[in-house]
Amino acid sequence: MLSNVSTIANAYIAQAASRVSDIARWLGHADDAAHFALVSETILGAMRARLYNHSAGTFADGLNGATKKDLAPSDHQAIQSIIFPMMAGAVNESEVPGMGAAVVKALRAKRVSGNGPSSCMA
């Protein structure tokens, strides 16, 4: 499902920023490492705040709206919209207690014949 703001794209960007932070740290560039770690954490925090559905244990596919002010979570949660935020680190028990168990429960519910339905992105 297409959205104005993509959960999957933001997960990739957060993961990439985190890896760039690691590289900067390995190279001894502490300021760059801190900057990219902050970029990653800012995106992940926004994903938890804006895209995570606490009652369903899922992340919406994205945000939709006519203007930035009107952006609201989509009413669809594809399995890759759960898997990719997990990969990027958006599932964080210290930020949202019970989030890990809720996400695992949602993933189990989405499985079909032992394999979750997904797109080519996964």
Side-chain angles (χ1 to χ4, degrees):
M1 173 170 269
L2 294 177
S3 299
N4 296 49
V5 176
S6 169
T7 299
I8 294 169
N10 276 284
Y12 273 120
I13 294 165
Q15 180 72 7
S18 179
R19 298 295 70 89
V20 170
S21 174
D22 291 342
I23 293 167
R25 186 174 33 81
W26 296 332
L27 295 173
H29 298 278
D31 290 346
D32 290 339
H35 169 76
F36 286 105
L38 180 61
V39 168
S40 180
E41 277 306 313
T42 299
I43 293 168
L44 296 174
M47 290 175 71
R48 284 188 289 273
R50 300 286 310 271
L51 295 164
Y52 182 65
N53 180 324
H54 292 265
S55 61
T58 60
F59 288 85
D61 287 353
L63 300 173
N64 292 310
T67 67
K68 190 174 180 179
K69 182 178 86 171
D70 297 327
L71 290 175
S74 70
D75 59 358
H76 189 263
Q77 303 87 28
I79 197 164
Q80 61 267 22
S81 294
I82 303 169
I83 294 169
F84 284 85
M86 286 178 68
M87 172 226 34
V91 177
N92 185 322
E93 284 289 319
S94 63
E95 293 289 327
V96 183
M99 185 182 218
V103 168
V104 169
K105 182 178 177 184
L107 285 172
R108 285 186 176 149
K110 287 190 174 283
R111 283 190 320 192
V112 175
S113 302
N115 296 311
S118 186
S119 74
C120 61
M121 295 185 79

